Each structure stands twice: as C-alpha cells, then as structure tokens.
Amino acid sequence: MSQSKTFHLPDLGEGLPDATIVEWYVKEGDVARLDEPLVSMETAKAVVEVPSPVSGKVLKLAGAAGDVIATGAMLAVFEPDPNLPQRAEGQDTGHHHGGGHAAPAKAAASDDGGELPTQPAPSEARGGDAGTVVGAMQSSDAVHSETAISVGGVKAMPAVRALAKKLGVDLARVRATGADGTVSLADVKNAAASPSSLLPAAPGGTGPAAAAAQSPAAAASRGVSRGEEPRTPMSAAGKPMRTRPPGAAAIASGQPEQLKGVRRNMARVMADAHSKVVPTTLVDDADLHGWIGKQDITARLVRAITVACKTVPALNAWFDGDALAVTRHPHVDVGIAVDTDDGLFVPALRNADMLDARGIREGINRLRLQVEERSIAASELSGYTISLSNFGMFAGRYATPVVVPPCVAIVGAGKLSHDVVAVIGGIEVHRRLPISLTFDHRAATGGEAARFLKALLDDMALPQ
C-alpha cells in the first residue's frame, strides 16, 4: 500500500490564521490530479482556490462547507499514485505555511465571468504595507488566482460559487453570459433578483435552492424552529399569545453562528485595537452654507482631511506602541470604510493629497466596486495613513469611530442636517455636517487634534 500524504492548509499569502471552506471540488474516494482545483477557501479578503498538491486518491477531507480550518492544520490526506504526474521533491508550490513568502500574482474575477488582470503592488518603503481588512496585520502583496473551473457541468469562479451559495441560487439553473459559457457574478445577482429568469430545474434537483428549502435555516425564516409549532399571535382560544410564560426561563430561539471570513477578522482586529489604543474623540460641525452649487461631499471630506494632514502631520502617522515610535508620513493615503453584508472593508485611496475632486470620486468608485466583487487586491486593503468613516450616509450625527493600529486617527462624518445658526443680527438655517475625530492619545496631544479638526472644518467651509 502506498504511503499516505497529509496536505496542510497553506498560508494563503494574507497572514491570516485561518480560512473557511466554501466548496470542495472532490470527495473522499475520488482521484485528484496534481494542480487541479481541490477546494475554494474564503479568507478575510478573498475567495481563494487551493490546488491539489499531488495526484492520487483522496482518503480524508478536513471538513465540510462552512467549517473554519486553521492555517497549518490538516486539510486533506492523499494516497499518491506513482503512475500519475507528481511534483518533484522540493519543488515550490507557491503556498507556504509560514509568513514572509508571497504567493504568485494572479487574476481576480470580473463581472462578466472573465479575469481582471492584476499586478501585485510593490511593498511600500513607507511601512511594508502591513495591514488587514480593518487594521494592521502582516499580509502579502500578491493577489490570488481565481480561474473559472467546471464542476457539475457548470463553469464558474470560486467567488461566483461563494455568492451563489450565499444567495441560495442553483448555479445549474443560471443563464451564463460570460466567456465560454462561464457564469458571472452579474448572472448570479440577476438570478437572485429575478427567480423567473432561472432555467427549468432538472428532475430531482439538489441545488442550493432546493437544499435551502429543506434546511433548518429556511424553517427558521418562516418562524418555525425544530421541535416547535408555528408561531401565531393568537392562541387557539382566540387570546393574545405570550412570548413566554411569566417567570419562565429564557430559551434561546436561535443557534450560535461561528464568525467567518471578513467578520471573523474584524472581530480580532477590533478587540486588538480596543486593548491597545487610548482613544479620545472631538466633535464639531462643518458649515456648508457657503458652498457654491452642488458638490461631492465625500470628495470634499477627503480633500479636507488631506489639508488637515498637511497642517498637523502628527495625526497622519503610524504609532508603534511597543517601540514607542511615531512614523509621520509625507503622503496621505486615506482608508475609506466600506460596509458590506460580509463585514467591513477599508480599502486605501492612495496619494489622496495629489487627487482633484474627480480623481477622488473615480478612485472611491473603483475601490467600492472591487470590494463588492471581492476582486480587490490584498495590498489595497492595507497601508493607509488615516481613515474615513462616512456613517452618516445611513444615520447618526456623532460617533466614536475606532482607531485601528498603527494609524493614529480616524474621521467620522455624520448625517447632513439643516440647523438654525445664530448670526450677527439674527438667525439663519445652514447646512451642516457633523464631524467626529477620534485619535490615539498616546501619539498625539489634544491640541494637535483640535488644530487638525479646525483645519478640516475651515477647508470644508470654503465655497469650492
């Protein structure tokens, strides 16, 4: 009997401690081929396809879709077949179990099912571009491969399959519009928005939609839990039902859900930030009454931040709490917080201090689109020197946004309002934008933060 070979989950080039299984392309007992897709894994930044390291029979798989696997833990066990192609001993696979190695630069999924060519961003001399989705953690500058593969007769990229699983869309029923019959992200989104456009289901279909219909989660969405009667507002006697009898012990109706991907990493980073930073928040209002014509508020905010950074460089900096060292940056890279269903992303708008209003808007739109498509390079989610949270797009006036090391400051913009303002000789109604500035008091003084905020407000008040 051939000797078995254990394959451990490699470092996917992002410096993260684990990844979540999205979909296996093989099952136990199958014969895997060298370098053919083995499994797709979701990290905090991307859905990454992991190829088989050997050719041979699959003896054991580590878990099922949705399970979290630690980097370096057993992913699969093989029985290599000497009659099939094998990788030469010592030949590099491009994946590593430790940090310090970059995976090869590859391509990411586009909305038409093809590939968006991407190049790894060179590691910046100004800090090595260490960072995470929402903070600082060692990461590779490489973008991982997403190539369309055919599974079950359906050709799609890992990110597309992950989206279909999340939306409960059966890929086998989606009309493919991508190159060579590839199902694209847009195809899946359209199918989810318009179920009538789906192709007829095959007899005895077992797609995600069919499975979801029988799943506990689907039952819960209808208000029915396992072992429970359907919930109704009235009892059989026609009297209002109580949620639970008085004095009865509370019973959890939901089930614990393990955090995965982006949210899992966000939880780690936020907890780390809370344990290290000494946050202090200043709030004020930017008066937009003098603006001429319609202007892009976010673009103006970014410009005002860059002006304030030049005026008070102490807040456009990184702070090393262990070495008690501050790095002040001559350039301004603004991290733009982007809220998604998967969690928080903070892509970096590079060299924002060199961009005009149009360049800022185009850059923000590009970053948002790449985040939504999960095609953004890991290097674009790190290395920013200060960040902006425009939470007022939804609700809220003031906040205490979280400063994530190594950054020293973050600016929060609240909901635009029309306020009554006292002026000489009477009162006027002005458009005003609430601004919150949180800074790390270990690295900056209250006076520096106040001068920074004043410079930002003064620029926002300019007519143009």
Side-chain angles (χ1 to χ4, degrees):
M1 181 176 178
S2 301
Q3 186 176 4
S4 64
K5 178 179 178 63
T6 300
F7 178 46
H8 301 274
L9 176 64
D11 179 353
L12 299 177
E14 300 183 12
L16 299 177
D18 51 44
T20 303
I21 298 172
V22 174
E23 181 178 9
W24 285 104
Y25 301 131
V26 298
K27 60 182 182 295
E28 293 180 2
D30 286 354
V31 175
R33 299 273 178 169
L34 177 67
D35 290 334
E36 287 190 354
L38 176 69
V39 62
S40 59
M41 307 290 295
E42 181 181 16
T43 70
K45 302 171 185 175
V47 178
V48 181
E49 184 182 286
V50 179
S52 174
V54 299
S55 294
K57 184 178 180 180
V58 179
L59 300 180
K60 184 178 181 181
L61 300 177
D67 289 347
V68 177
I69 307 298
T71 299
M74 187 275 287
L75 185 61
V77 179
F78 299 89
E79 181 182 316
D81 188 338
N83 297 318
L84 295 176
Q86 304 291 346
R87 182 171 287 107
E89 190 69 28
Q91 183 178 349
D92 191 2
T93 64
H95 292 292
H96 305 272
H97 296 294
H101 299 279
K106 301 180 182 177
S110 73
D111 218 25
D112 63 1
E115 293 182 352
L116 290 172
T118 55
Q119 296 295 328
S123 184
E124 305 287 347
R126 57 200 189 212
D129 244 6
T132 69
V133 180
V134 290
M137 191 177 290
Q138 292 302 317
S139 67
S140 166
D141 288 332
V143 183
H144 291 280
S145 173
E146 285 197 354
T147 53
I149 60 171
S150 180
V151 177
V154 179
K155 192 174 183 182
M157 293 189 178
V160 175
R161 294 182 184 279
L163 179 63
K165 185 179 292 288
K166 177 180 176 181
L167 298 179
V169 173
D170 186 355
L171 280 177
R173 300 181 58 195
V174 176
R175 298 181 186 276
T177 62
D180 301 323
T182 300
V183 177
S184 69
L185 287 167
D187 294 336
V188 173
K189 292 176 183 177
N190 291 338
S194 179
S196 61
S197 65
L198 291 170
L199 297 172
T206 58
Q214 305 300 326
S215 69
S221 69
R222 297 190 298 270
V224 182
S225 301
R226 287 173 292 184
E228 295 183 5
E229 293 296 323
R231 295 170 56 199
T232 60
M234 306 294 287
S235 69
K239 296 182 179 180
M241 291 284 288
R242 297 181 185 272
T243 301
R244 69 173 66 89
I251 301 175
S253 59
Q255 296 297 319
E257 179 182 353
Q258 190 174 41
L259 294 179
K260 299 169 185 175
V262 180
R263 290 186 182 275
R264 187 179 182 86
N265 190 60
M266 181 179 69
R268 290 194 185 104
V269 172
M270 290 299 172
D272 180 68
H274 181 72
S275 69
K276 292 180 178 178
V277 174
V278 181
T280 304
T281 301
L282 300 180
V283 299
D284 210 326
D285 297 286
D287 195 321
L288 315 185
H289 186 64
W291 281 21
I292 298 174
K294 185 177 181 180
Q295 299 186 47
D296 187 329
I297 293 179
T298 302
R300 284 293 303 267
L301 270 170
V302 171
R303 189 189 80 177
I305 289 173
T306 65
V307 170
C309 286
K310 298 298 183 181
T311 305
V312 186
L315 272 68
N316 185 47
W318 290 343
F319 180 68
D320 185 337
D322 295 328
L324 294 179
V326 176
T327 302
R328 293 184 174 87
H329 301 285
H331 59 278
V332 183
D333 289 351
V334 181
I336 307 293
V338 177
D339 180 69
T340 73
D341 291 339
D342 293 326
L344 178 67
F345 287 78
V346 186
L349 182 63
R350 304 292 182 192
N351 298 309
D353 52 319
M354 299 179 65
L355 301 175
D356 58 12
R358 180 178 177 181
I360 291 172
R361 173 47 56 193
E362 290 177 348
I364 291 174
N365 289 344
R366 172 180 56 82
L367 293 172
R368 286 186 183 278
L369 180 61
Q370 291 177 348
V371 165
E372 290 171 359
E373 294 181 346
R374 296 295 292 273
S375 63
I376 191 164
S379 59
E380 294 303 303
L381 295 167
S382 60
Y384 44 86
T385 61
I386 190 169
S387 49
L388 168 64
S389 174
N390 198 1
F391 62 86
M393 295 172 60
F394 306 107
R397 288 180 63 84
Y398 306 103
T400 54
V402 178
V403 176
V404 177
C407 287
V408 170
I410 178 172
V411 174
K415 185 176 181 180
L416 190 68
S417 62
H418 290 80
D419 300 333
V420 175
V421 178
V423 297
I424 298 176
I427 59 173
E428 294 179 351
V429 176
H430 288 194
R431 276 201 317 162
R432 299 205 301 176
L433 185 69
I435 301 293
S436 303
L437 169 65
T438 298
F439 66 99
D440 188 344
H441 219 323
R442 298 177 302 167
T445 69
E448 288 170 329
R451 289 191 291 274
F452 179 98
L453 183 56
K454 183 179 185 304
L456 186 153
L457 297 176
D458 287 348
D459 190 79
M460 288 294 289
L462 296 176
Q464 289 182 320

